[in-house]
């Protein structure tokens, strides 16, 4: 990859930013090795603590700016869960809030120059998506028993079509964790890689202004994407939760 | 250039120059590490949220909603009180106006009565004086008639005497009286 990229005189290594490196030397990455993944996830946790705990520490009835941000974040997700999953979905609000904040801070901290973007890795997003998938399916069966299968049996369709629709629904149900995780990792990876490519082109004086302008524009877009992908992941989780709680179409 | 051994340790995902081979996202050697730290991070976030942040924010929001509800209720109460005060003021104003009208009406009636009695008294006095005046006029007329009769008798007697005959006082008197009563011959 490196050899191909250096061919045109540019040194563009758009994928190097995603390499997992041990923090304290060494080359072998064991499952327990503190790596740049550890560092940036820890920074994310610290950021979340700063926003949600330090921000709300005053417990003021008339909130400060920090407390307002914490409350807005709380209200944003709380309302989303209530609107999409229904009132009985509020029981799972802390889990959804955890996912949202982790993804949001992973995406946002990833935009810091030279940062490592934890949410760009399919390993991370797939674990979260699978956790959502397994949890939601379990909730569906525990809450509704066999009734949960009516999610795949479309009552409003003609009887002849129902088996066909059941197969389609079943496939789409099992594709959910794939699309759920690839959407997030893909969007973040693509954005970061594009920024790196623009940055590489900035080495040539003739196109440097264009490249830097492009980088600024992509960076602004990526800020938007960072938020939107966190939002999308969260709202899809709520939608899946609603399906599990109320499987009837 | 690193040694062959180190490059081998770097593995399938990173080349000898430190660059990525293919997509680092698909390097399964790193999966356990990422998954482990992801679970740690999510656990930490979950604990921070459920133990500290969410209950606190929930409490603050509930407290604020309570304060807002109380304030709105208090404002509603004050509004009712203000409306009550306004009604009382209006009532007092209306009462005062009615009172004023009553007093005005009473005073007018009193004055009317006074004027009526005064007028009556004045009319009675006028009537009395008129009666007295008429009586006196009658008296004056009577005396005047008597005087005229006396003068007429005297004049008649004198005329008869100056005509050379002796006046018969009885006849003269009779003739004058006949003339006075309007029985002209």
């Amino acid at each position: 990859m490196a050899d191909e990229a250096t061919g045109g005189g540019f040194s563009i290594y758009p994928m190097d930013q995603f390499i997992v490196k041990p923090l304290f030397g060494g080359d072998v990455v064991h499952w327990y090795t503190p790596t740049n993944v550890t560092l940036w996830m820890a920074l994310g946790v610290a950021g979340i603590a700063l926003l949600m705990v330090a921000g709300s520490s005053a417990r003021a009835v008339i909130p400060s700016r920090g407390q307002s941000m914490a409350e807005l974040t709380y209200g944003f997700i709380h309302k989303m869960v209530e609107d999409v999953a229904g009132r009985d979905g509020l029981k799972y609000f802390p889990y959804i809030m955890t996912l949202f904040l982790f993804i949001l801070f992973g995406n946002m901290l990833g935009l810091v120059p030279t940062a490592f973007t934890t949410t760009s890795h399919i390993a991370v997003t797939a674990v979260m998506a699978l956790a959502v998938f397994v949890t939601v399916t379990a909730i569906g069966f525990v809450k509704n028993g066999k009734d949960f299968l009516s999610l795949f049996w479309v009552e409003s369709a003609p009887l002849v079509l129902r088996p066909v629709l059941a197969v389609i629904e079943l496939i789409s149900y099992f594709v959910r964790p794939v699309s759920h995780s690839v959407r997030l990792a893909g969007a973040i990876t693509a954005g970061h890689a594009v920024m790196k490519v623009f940055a590489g082109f900035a080495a040539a004086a003739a196109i440097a202004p264009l490249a830097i302008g492009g980088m600024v524009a992509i960076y602004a877009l990526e800020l938007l994407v960072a938020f939107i992908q966190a939002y999308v992941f969260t709202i899809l989780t709520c939608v899946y939760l609603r399906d599990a709680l109320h499987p009837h179409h | 250039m690193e040694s062959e051994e180190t490059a081998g340790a770097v593995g399938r995902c990173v080349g000898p120059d430190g660059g990525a081979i293919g997509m680092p996202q698909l390097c399964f050697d790193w999966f356990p590490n990422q998954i482990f730290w992801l679970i740690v991070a999510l656990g930490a976030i979950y604990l921070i949220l459920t133990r500290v942040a969410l209950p606190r924010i929930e409490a603050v929001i509930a407290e604020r909603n309570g304060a807002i509800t109380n304030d709105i209720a208090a404002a509603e109460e004050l509004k009712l009180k203000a409306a009550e005060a306004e009604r009382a003021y209006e009532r007092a104003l209306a009462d005062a106006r009615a009172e004023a009208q009553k007093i005005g009406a009473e005073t007018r009636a009193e004055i009317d009565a006074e004027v009526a009695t005064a007028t009556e008294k004045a009319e009675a006095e006028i009537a009395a004086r008129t009666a007295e005046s008429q009586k006196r006029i009658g008296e004056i007329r009577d005396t005047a008639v008597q005087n005229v009769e006396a003068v007429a008798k005297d004049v008649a007697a004198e005329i008869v005497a100056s005509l050379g005959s002796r006046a018969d006082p009885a006849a003269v008197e009779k003739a004058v009286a006949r003339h006075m009563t309007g029985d002209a011959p």
Side-chain angles (χ1 to χ4, degrees):
Chain A
M1 179 126 208
D3 294 332
E4 296 162 27
T6 44
F10 298 110
S11 42
I12 301 173
Y13 309 109
M15 302 316 274
D16 283 7
Q17 58 180 323
F18 303 116
I19 294 174
V20 175
K21 295 188 197 92
L23 274 183
F24 307 110
D27 293 314
V28 188
V29 176
H30 296 293
W31 62 268
Y32 53 82
T33 312
T35 54
N36 47 359
V37 178
T38 320
L39 173 67
W40 287 97
M41 282 186 184
L43 286 173
V45 173
I48 291 164
L50 187 71
L51 171 69
M52 301 302 287
V53 177
S56 66
S57 60
R59 299 165 203 248
V61 171
I62 297 163
S64 61
R65 284 181 216 177
Q67 196 182 326
S68 266
M69 281 169 70
E71 283 174 14
L72 277 176
T73 316
Y74 175 97
F76 178 61
I77 302 300
H78 197 268
K79 190 171 182 303
M80 187 200 290
V81 174
E82 193 176 350
D83 288 353
V84 177
R87 286 204 67 82
D88 42 353
L90 283 179
K91 212 164 68 179
Y92 310 99
F93 163 65
Y95 301 97
I96 293 169
M97 188 77 174
T98 303
L99 287 178
F100 173 75
L101 285 174
F102 176 81
I103 297 168
L104 182 69
F105 275 80
N107 291 351
M108 288 296 182
L109 287 173
L111 285 173
V112 174
T114 74
F116 177 79
T117 317
T118 54
T119 44
S120 67
H121 276 261
I122 194 80
V124 170
T125 58
V127 167
M128 291 192 290
L130 276 172
V132 169
F133 178 75
V134 170
T135 314
V136 154
T137 309
I139 290 171
F141 277 112
V142 169
K143 292 263 168 185
N144 306 290
K146 267 197 326 207
D147 248 16
F148 181 58
L149 293 175
S150 68
L151 184 62
F152 308 108
W153 197 250
V154 187
E155 293 283 339
S156 51
L159 191 60
V160 198
L161 281 177
R162 278 184 214 170
V164 184
L165 284 176
V167 172
I168 293 171
E169 289 279 339
L170 208 63
I171 292 170
S172 86
Y173 189 79
F174 281 98
V175 167
R176 274 178 182 185
V178 178
S179 64
H180 204 189
S181 57
V182 170
R183 180 182 299 110
L184 173 57
I188 302 300
T189 302
H192 283 255
V194 166
M195 268 196 281
K196 264 281 165 21
V197 171
F198 269 103
F201 280 122
I207 52 170
L210 194 69
I212 291 170
M215 240 169 81
V216 170
I218 296 286
Y219 192 91
L221 184 70
E222 282 308 300
L223 274 175
L224 189 70
V225 168
F227 175 76
I228 285 175
Q229 287 302 327
Y231 174 76
V232 165
F233 193 98
T234 316
I235 203 161
L236 281 174
T237 305
C238 293
V239 168
Y240 299 161
L241 184 62
R242 182 197 58 199
D243 282 351
L245 294 171
H246 317 283
H248 305 285
H249 283 275
Chain B
M1 193 73 190
E2 293 168 76
S3 73
E4 200 60 37
E5 200 187 326
T6 319
V10 164
R12 299 183 290 277
C13 311
V14 179
D17 57 349
I21 301 173
M23 279 186 78
Q25 277 86 346
L26 299 178
C27 177
F28 293 97
D29 294 355
W30 296 336
F31 272 36
N33 183 268
Q34 298 190 53
I35 292 168
F36 169 67
W37 289 114
L38 169 69
I39 291 167
V40 171
L42 288 180
I45 297 169
Y46 180 76
L47 285 180
I48 289 171
L49 289 183
T50 50
R51 295 292 150 89
V52 190
L54 297 187
R56 189 190 281 173
I57 294 173
E58 212 166 316
V60 168
I61 289 174
E63 192 187 333
R64 179 172 315 130
N65 286 346
I68 289 170
T69 314
N70 284 346
D71 285 0
I72 287 173
E76 202 72 33
E77 208 171 294
L78 288 176
K79 201 171 149 194
L80 285 178
K81 271 189 192 161
E84 185 82 17
E86 201 189 331
R87 263 201 304 281
Y89 163 76
E90 296 281 359
R91 201 164 338 106
L93 198 67
D95 284 356
R97 198 168 288 144
E99 187 77 9
Q101 261 164 0
K102 212 173 88 188
I103 290 170
E106 268 172 22
T107 313
R108 198 171 300 128
E110 227 166 82
I111 289 169
D112 281 353
E114 260 171 42
V115 168
T117 45
T119 312
E120 213 169 292
K121 218 165 103 189
E123 270 171 5
E125 204 171 304
I126 288 165
R129 285 208 190 158
T130 311
E132 199 178 315
S133 303
Q134 260 163 358
K135 207 174 107 198
R136 278 186 61 196
I137 289 166
E139 275 170 18
I140 289 167
R141 191 189 291 141
D142 286 354
T143 25
V145 170
Q146 279 170 11
N147 289 349
V148 168
E149 203 173 341
V151 169
K153 278 176 197 163
D154 288 351
V155 169
E158 285 303 314
I159 291 170
V160 171
S162 65
L163 286 177
S165 62
R166 209 183 42 92
D168 179 8
V172 169
E173 204 164 306
K174 221 167 143 189
V176 168
R178 207 172 62 228
H179 277 277
M180 288 297 286
T181 51
D183 293 344

